[in-house]
Amino acid sequence: MSHAAPSRVPLAKPVEAVPAGSLRQLRLRAADCRACPLWRDATRTVFGAGPARAAVMLIGEQPGDQEDRRGEPFVGPAGQLLRELLAECGLAVDDVYLTNTVKHFKFRMRGKRRLHQRANAAEQAACRPWLAAELLRLRPRWVVALGAMAAQTLFGDAFRLTRERGRWHALDEHTDALASWHPSAILRMRGEPREHALRELRRDLCAVAARVTGSPARTPSGDTP
Ligand code: URA
């Protein structure tokens, strides 16, 4: 399928300059990124992964401990939950491009444990050119922002997941996007709020699957359409 060139970077937040090159070239260049201090403590850059022709891109926040060790996005506990939900919705994870807003693990040590720290605004800004380049190279048809960091990068700081989760927005003339709960946030919740958020994330991912396959959204057991 050929597409008209997009008129602009489809992010609400500013991007200084978008790096050129194929996804493979971008991945290689990002491996040496020194645009913010996070590279110093992280093991490696965790660039996006998945087919260059993927119609669906999922954007998380930043790699965690497991992702930093293995060099791939969403391979830790949050990734496992995400992969289970994708499978329930009939979306093959190998057909989806997985990436993050920030591509280095940020952490502080507590004893021998590396505790996740949220990347700050400057670190997010320094990493945005990579996300912009991934979006412009891939030109996915559908994008899912997982969590507030990704959602606000796409839609702006006024975006609130509690209000606007699960609603489609046009990012540009070719790409529609929605935001949903981050699987890590769901894993931190307990009781009914957790079950509720889980149902909502499942419903949102199944809505994406329905668009991909052109069939009605699956309503897995326990969920309401
Ligand atoms: N959380 C994210 O946002 N991304 C990952 O890759 C893993 C956990």
Side-chain angles (χ1 to χ4, degrees):
M1 208 188 310
S2 65
H3 317 296
S7 44
R8 59 175 187 90
V9 173
L11 297 177
K13 295 209 179 182
V15 178
E16 292 229 326
V18 181
S22 66
L23 273 182
R24 205 175 138 268
Q25 290 167 328
L26 291 169
R27 184 174 292 112
L28 286 173
R29 287 181 63 190
D32 294 327
C33 184
R34 303 286 186 263
C36 82
L38 293 185
W39 66 273
R40 290 180 206 276
D41 293 329
T43 310
R44 53 175 62 84
T45 304
V46 180
F47 203 71
R53 299 184 65 82
V56 179
M57 181 192 263
L58 303 188
I59 308 172
E61 302 204 327
Q62 54 196 87
D65 179 75
Q66 296 287 319
E67 288 77 17
D68 175 72
R69 291 178 199 279
R70 292 172 52 185
E72 276 181 65
F74 287 106
V75 290
Q80 194 180 326
L81 174 58
L82 181 63
R83 286 159 196 266
E84 284 167 16
L85 294 174
L86 289 172
E88 284 180 35
C89 294
L91 264 181
V93 71
D94 291 344
D95 292 341
V96 167
Y97 187 86
L98 295 171
T99 193
N100 283 302
T101 312
V102 170
K103 292 172 173 41
H104 278 114
F105 181 38
K106 181 177 181 180
F107 60 94
R108 66 182 168 84
M109 297 302 295
R110 185 194 285 162
K112 289 190 175 156
R113 291 185 59 211
R114 305 196 300 173
L115 297 185
H116 166 94
Q117 300 268 276
R118 183 184 165 87
N120 63 32
E123 291 153 352
Q124 292 178 41
C127 221
R128 261 196 309 272
W130 298 117
L131 180 62
E134 287 173 298
L135 277 163
L136 291 176
R137 275 324 89 62
L138 235 88
R139 302 224 58 216
R141 181 68 188 85
W142 298 284
V143 170
V144 181
L146 297 165
M149 186 193 289
Q152 292 182 348
T153 299
L154 292 185
F155 305 128
D157 280 335
F159 187 92
R160 290 290 171 274
L161 270 177
T162 42
R163 235 178 16 223
E164 294 179 81
R165 190 228 93 245
R167 286 196 212 150
W168 288 103
H169 300 258
L171 278 192
D172 63 21
E173 63 281 4
H174 174 71
T175 303
D176 293 331
L178 63 70
S180 193
W181 302 117
H182 194 292
S184 297
I186 295 179
L187 291 175
R188 285 193 300 272
M189 296 175 186
R190 291 289 170 263
E192 176 45 31
R194 178 181 185 149
E195 292 310 311
H196 185 74
L198 189 56
R199 281 195 296 276
E200 291 188 329
L201 175 57
R202 184 188 290 118
R203 189 185 308 156
D204 296 337
L205 293 174
C206 287
V208 177
R211 289 198 167 199
V212 173
T213 61
S215 50
R218 285 192 194 182
T219 53
S221 52
D223 200 359
T224 45

